[in-house]
Amino acid sequence: MSIPSKSGFWQRYADKVGVGGSIFAALCCLGFPALLSLLGAIGLGFLINDAILLPLLAIFLVVSLGGLYTGMRHHGQPWAFGLGLLSALVLFVFLFINTAISYIGLAGLIVSGGLNIWLRSRQLKSS
């Protein structure tokens, strides 16, 4: 019987928290109507300000890249981290330049988070 390894919350969930927060901040910056109206309806309309959202997006991107890096160290495969790094750069650079390319970067970030989860679970099943 194997004893599950004790790792901290951030080592296990940083990629998920970071990707989720990045999605939230990026969709607000891109002006996603459903999210903007929801924030306004619940009284969080002050968050719809690029001066707040841009640093928030940067923080969440760093958290997600840190989680993807921890995952890479855990399962040994660089694919999720590489895709996440490229997607984060594309998202951050093209956020106010080209909306379509920003959505591609956001999709790549989601795929890299899912890939990291899959690689971690595959590594845990084999050990």
Side-chain angles (χ1 to χ4, degrees):
M1 175 165 54
S2 66
I3 300 172
S5 64
K6 291 185 178 181
S7 59
F9 174 83
W10 288 109
Q11 289 179 339
R12 289 179 292 172
Y13 299 111
D15 58 338
K16 299 163 194 73
V17 170
V19 169
S22 297
I23 291 169
F24 170 78
L27 288 178
C28 284
C29 283
L30 291 169
F32 193 70
L35 184 59
L36 296 180
S37 62
L38 177 69
L39 287 174
I42 62 174
L44 296 176
F46 67 92
L47 286 176
I48 308 168
N49 185 353
D50 289 338
I52 295 172
L53 290 171
L54 202 55
L56 190 65
L57 176 63
I59 290 168
F60 278 124
L61 287 174
V62 168
V63 168
S64 64
L65 289 175
L68 291 171
Y69 179 75
T70 303
M72 181 183 71
R73 290 187 50 205
H74 181 74
H75 53 68
Q77 300 293 326
W79 306 112
F81 178 73
L83 178 61
L85 181 63
L86 179 65
S87 299
L89 287 173
V90 166
L91 177 61
F92 198 77
V93 169
F94 286 97
L95 190 61
F96 298 109
I97 298 172
N98 190 329
T99 305
I101 296 175
S102 296
Y103 279 117
I104 291 170
L106 193 58
L109 199 61
I110 294 168
V111 169
S112 68
L115 180 62
N116 190 47
I117 293 169
W118 180 72
L119 288 171
R120 277 185 168 221
S121 68
R122 193 179 81 171
Q123 196 269 337
L124 287 174
K125 288 179 185 177
S126 67
S127 50

